[in-house]
Amino acid sequence: MSRKFLETESPAWVAEGLISEEQRQKLLARYPPEAQALGLLPLLGSVLVGLSALSVVAANWQGLPAVLRLALLLGSLLGAYGAGAYFRRRGNVDLSHGLIGLGLIVFGASIILVSQLYQLVGYDVSGLLAWVVAGVALSYVYGSRLLVLLTVVIGAAVQTYCVEVLGSFSYATAVLVAAGLGYYWWRRPEVVSSTVLATGLLWQAGLLVIVLHAKITWFFVPAMAIYAAGDWQQSRNGARALQGPPLVAAYLFMFGLATFGETDTYANVLRPPLLPYLLSLGAVFAISVAGKRARGRFDTLLDWLLLLPGFYLPGGLPLAVATLVVLYAHAGSVLARAHRQQDSDQLTLGAVLFVVATAVAYFKLTWAFLDKSLFFLLGGVLLLGLSWYLRRRNAQTLAAAPAPTAPAAGEAPDSTVAPETPPRHD
């Protein structure tokens, strides 16, 4: 909730008797007018100052004596961490976390530059692994969303370096990010951090598939393991934020199959050995179902429609039809869930998915048979008609919506955080 929202809506709350004027003033007092802007300014300032210093040092790096280089690195590192601790003690938490994040970046740069300085050619990832460890540790110590985001990016960068330069996958890096930040997410399921963490883990899963030269459909086993972890999360918003990236990946894959699945050679590239693949995916599915049952979220079970292994069907028409059916069924499940929950965002998402499925079906069925001007004309009329109908239907549903219901059994409100969780300030 922002001060702007309160200033706009709270007079109507007072007029309707929901809150008193005194309570309104207390609510406004919790959100000082310039708190957010002031919180961003020192963060941006610390980043610009850091970039300026790094630019000057980089331009003159080769001409500096070795001792001076080491002193600069050590001084920058201690200066950033020391300044962060100083401002934290003075209560300026935003600036403190910005400086600590700058220190984390300098720490990684120091590892690389010291290796170059003493020509320490490394054939393993030990040095960079220390960078990931530092990021995970600082995330726990300071409880900062900024440090979590930096650590996810650092983990992805280290893993990419291992694959591209060393030609191997660093399981230690993957475990550190997945377990270290995964437990952090379990205790503090903030939406942005959850999405970034899931995206970073998917990146590492993709790199693993590349290194192992496996069929790309194996990617969906670890991807859906991330999704299944979300089913066990108490906070529904945190869970859906973590599950979003795997679902987007699965949808794009199914969309690609529906669009280009007529080429049988292309489909063959996707087929891993049937039994091991189904057993692996089935095990993840069982974990997901158990989580949905424990948290009372069976309404999201149809998300798994996108993981139906339709690519084992013969290429051509059977595969194209099967994937279109899946896209329509998935869009229908999202719309049905949105209508049950009276969720306007889900209604919009379901409408978009339904229109996309219709567009794919129209393109597949009519492109080769219709005159192109007639193809675009009918397509435009069809989409406009669908848009009008879905908007009308959504408006009627939301207008008839009852009062919001209480959370399902076993599910905490979205604002629920573990008791020992300290407040986050950035």
Side-chain angles (χ1 to χ4, degrees), residues 9-338:
E9 299 293 332
S10 58
W13 300 347
V14 175
E16 294 172 5
L18 297 176
I19 59 174
S20 64
E21 179 59 29
E22 182 182 1
Q23 290 170 327
R24 174 176 176 271
Q25 293 301 328
K26 287 182 178 178
L27 286 173
L28 289 172
R30 293 175 67 91
Y31 300 89
E34 298 177 351
Q36 189 171 5
L38 290 177
L40 289 176
L41 286 177
L43 180 62
L44 294 174
S46 64
V47 171
L48 292 177
V49 169
L51 289 176
S52 173
L54 288 175
S55 298
V56 171
V57 172
N60 302 281
W61 184 254
Q62 295 299 331
L64 298 176
V67 175
L68 183 55
R69 296 184 200 180
L70 283 176
L72 281 173
L73 291 175
L74 190 60
S76 301
L77 188 64
L78 294 178
Y81 285 139
Y86 171 77
F87 283 106
R88 183 177 175 84
R89 284 197 302 272
R90 292 181 63 87
N92 196 337
V93 180
D94 295 319
L95 178 57
S96 166
H97 289 173
L99 290 169
I100 296 295
L102 181 61
L104 179 61
I105 295 173
V106 172
F107 178 66
S110 300
I111 294 173
I112 298 171
L113 291 175
V114 169
S115 299
Q116 292 177 349
L117 181 62
Y118 292 100
Q119 298 181 349
L120 301 175
V121 180
Y123 294 98
D124 58 36
V125 73
S126 303
L128 295 178
L129 198 59
W131 196 10
V132 182
V133 171
V136 173
L138 289 175
S139 299
Y140 278 94
V141 170
Y142 292 99
S144 166
R145 180 173 56 189
L146 172 65
L147 293 173
V148 172
L149 304 185
L150 276 178
T151 306
V152 171
V153 173
I154 290 169
V158 171
Q159 196 67 266
T160 304
Y161 172 81
C162 291
V163 172
E164 293 293 330
V165 178
L166 304 180
S168 62
F169 185 82
S170 173
Y171 291 95
T173 300
V175 169
L176 268 174
V177 175
L181 293 185
Y183 184 70
Y184 184 96
W185 162 81
W186 182 258
R187 305 300 300 273
R188 306 174 187 185
E190 194 273 332
V191 171
V192 176
S193 300
S194 303
T195 304
V196 171
L197 175 60
T199 305
L201 293 175
L202 288 181
W203 178 263
Q204 300 210 25
L207 292 175
L208 178 61
V209 170
I210 292 173
V211 168
L212 296 178
H213 302 289
K215 303 287 187 186
I216 62 173
T217 39
W218 279 112
F219 167 81
F220 291 106
V221 174
M224 295 311 289
I226 297 169
Y227 174 92
D231 284 323
W232 290 90
Q233 173 56 251
Q234 195 175 22
S235 166
R236 193 177 185 100
N237 278 356
R240 294 307 285 176
L242 189 82
Q243 291 173 331
L247 284 178
V248 169
Y251 185 86
L252 291 177
F253 177 75
M254 191 60 70
F255 178 84
L257 274 182
T259 307
F260 306 106
E262 293 178 354
T263 306
D264 192 46
T265 305
Y266 185 77
N268 281 331
V269 178
L270 309 175
R271 294 170 182 156
L274 179 62
L275 187 59
Y277 181 75
L278 291 185
L279 286 177
S280 302
L281 201 59
V284 177
F285 177 70
I287 296 172
S288 174
V289 170
K292 291 180 188 299
R293 180 180 180 185
R295 301 300 182 196
R297 296 175 186 159
F298 272 120
D299 58 332
T300 59
L301 185 62
L302 293 180
D303 288 344
W304 278 88
L305 281 173
L306 296 173
L307 275 299
L308 288 176
F311 46 85
Y312 285 107
L313 292 172
L317 187 60
L319 180 57
V321 171
T323 50
L324 281 175
V325 170
V326 168
L327 289 181
Y328 270 118
H330 176 255
S333 71
V334 174
L335 283 171
R337 184 170 67 236

